[in-house]
Amino acid sequence: MRRTRFDRWPCPIARTTDLVGDWWTPLVMREAFSGRRRFEDFQRALKVPRAVLARRLDRLVDEGLLKKVPYQEHPPRYEYRLTDKGRAFWDVLAAMWRWGSDWLWGENGPPVILIDNETGREVRPLVVDQNTGNRLTGRRLRMGRKQDVGVLS
Amino acid sequence: MRRTRFDRWPCPIARTTDLVGDWWTPLVMREAFSGRRRFEDFQRALKVPRAVLARRLDRLVDEGLLKKVPYQEHPPRYEYRLTDKGRAFWDVLAAMWRWGSDWLWGENGPPVILIDNETGREVRPLVVDQNTGNRLTGRRLRMGRKQDVGVLS
DNA sequence: TCTCCTAAGTTCATCCAGCGAACTACATAG
DNA sequence: CTATGTAGTTCGCTGGATGAACTTAGGAGA
């Protein structure tokens, strides 16, 4: 049987899971953010099986996170560039970065950090509520239908 | 061959990918945040194959996101509860929620929203830099070794 | 006592997806 | 005419997801 698809479930987490649940996909996006554009660049950087990479890139183009842009004719060659949708995906990678940094290393934390190219300073991603600026805690949230907003029980 | 493991790569995104790349795992965590604790609760809510659920719960316990707590003897039964590490993972789910809400629906957006249990108001997760409070853009960031911080080229 | 029920898994056969290596296609460089 | 570069595709193998059935251990009801 085919792996259960989540991309039509009525939950944003489920639909996003359908993407990031493809093995290698977050890493392909990471590489796109670090400037890689061509098949061979991705392949050499990640050592990902070529067949898998081809499928991932195809899907990311289908989903609109990347777009194919020709960079030569004879033979026709395309590179993969981030779209707005793809750039927005950085937030997901940043949250993964932060959680991984905080919880998946012992002692001194990971050997790498995120650096702002303009200030040269370390960046520490944090997830907050856009309205209040407060840090989120899953405990105090629930998922509800749109009509439920503002209705205190 | 076994699927390539990322859990020892020197990059927080890679290590986190190793977790969320397991099919169903983010959804299991989502259910944990919505209060589910027992095997049958998770299984009924998600319709996940039982063998897969058992493996996911085992791994999440191994990785320290969930812990097994006995809730009865005769026969011995355990429930799965979030640890601090697991609660911190909410940030990753929140970022996925936001990106999915913004980019994986047409028209009116998804039929569901996140609601703060105390205020009853909608919550919109946003990823910012902890130091500056500014929204992040992947373009202006690079990953570097720890020694590189503050060193402007 | 016998049977049904619940909870938390385990086992099984099937089939899809990831794996590494080799191969192909097309153009240019020497 | 051969070598090189780029972007894939094909192939044989095997791990992992799938749904259904089975197991284990006890409790409840007739």
Side-chain angles (χ1 to χ4, degrees), chain A residues 1-4 38-40 50-51 54 71 77 80:
Chain A
M1 300 95 204
R2 179 144 73 268
R3 206 169 46 167
T4 307
R38 301 188 184 171
F39 189 93
E40 296 293 324
R50 307 175 72 80
Y71 70 88
R77 292 279 184 254
Y80 298 89

Side-chain angles (χ1 to χ4, degrees), chain A residues 97-118:
Chain A
W97 177 287
R98 178 60 188 267
W99 184 82
S101 295
D102 287 350
W103 296 96
L104 298 179
W105 263 268
E107 297 295 314
N108 306 315
V112 288
I113 53 177
L114 285 176
I115 303 172
D116 186 306
N117 277 330
E118 289 177 9

Side-chain angles (χ1 to χ4, degrees), chain B residues 132-143:
Chain B
T132 66
N134 295 328
R135 195 153 188 180
L136 299 180
T137 63
R139 278 192 308 255
R140 297 194 182 153
L141 300 176
R142 70 174 194 277
M143 308 172 194

Side-chain angles (χ1 to χ4, degrees), chain A residues 108-144:
Chain A
N108 306 315
V112 288
I113 53 177
L114 285 176
I115 303 172
D116 186 306
N117 277 330
E118 289 177 9
T119 65
R121 304 195 55 178
E122 181 178 2
V123 169
R124 296 176 66 73
L126 186 69
V127 182
V128 299
D129 176 9
Q130 178 164 12
N131 300 122
T132 66
N134 295 330
R135 193 151 192 183
L136 298 180
T137 62
R139 279 192 308 253
R140 299 195 180 151
L141 299 176
R142 72 175 193 275
M143 308 174 194

Side-chain angles (χ1 to χ4, degrees), chain B:
Chain B
M1 297 96 202
R2 177 145 73 266
R3 204 169 48 167
T4 307
R5 303 261 76 180
F6 309 131
D7 57 351
R8 292 297 152 194
W9 287 26
C11 165
I13 294 174
R15 294 196 179 186
T16 304
T17 297
D18 200 89
L19 252 186
V20 302
D22 275 340
W23 209 241
W24 291 101
T25 288
L27 297 173
V28 171
M29 289 301 290
R30 184 194 76 181
E31 291 304 313
F33 278 103
S34 72
R36 311 215 189 269
R37 295 180 169 182
R38 300 187 186 173
F39 190 94
E40 296 293 325
D41 293 337
F42 287 104
Q43 203 283 321
R44 273 192 294 266
L46 292 172
K47 308 270 187 280
V48 48
R50 307 174 73 81
V52 174
L53 178 59
R55 242 172 317 152
R56 294 297 178 271
L57 290 171
D58 274 354
R59 177 158 190 216
L60 288 168
V61 169
D62 280 352
E63 303 272 0
L65 284 86
L66 301 177
K67 63 186 167 197
K68 283 177 93 158
V69 177
Y71 70 88
Q72 71 170 35
E73 307 172 358
H74 310 300
R77 293 276 185 255
Y78 299 87
E79 56 184 21
Y80 298 88
R81 293 207 200 155
L82 288 165
T83 62
D84 288 342
K85 185 175 178 179
R87 268 187 289 276
F89 191 76
W90 173 254
D91 285 0
V92 175
L93 296 182
M96 290 170 63
W97 176 287
R98 177 61 186 267
W99 184 82
S101 295
D102 288 349
W103 295 97
L104 297 179
W105 263 269
E107 297 296 314
N108 306 316
V112 288
I113 54 177
L114 284 177
I115 304 172
D116 186 306
N117 276 331
E118 289 177 10
T119 65
R121 306 195 56 177
E122 181 178 2
V123 168
R124 297 176 64 73
L126 186 69
V127 182
V128 299
D129 176 9
Q130 179 165 10
N131 300 121
T132 66
N134 295 328
R135 195 153 188 180
L136 299 180
T137 63
R139 278 192 308 255
R140 297 194 182 153
L141 300 176
R142 70 174 194 277
M143 308 172 194
R145 287 162 301 144
K146 262 190 177 145
Q147 298 76 31
D148 298 345
V149 68
V151 181
L152 288 160
S153 51

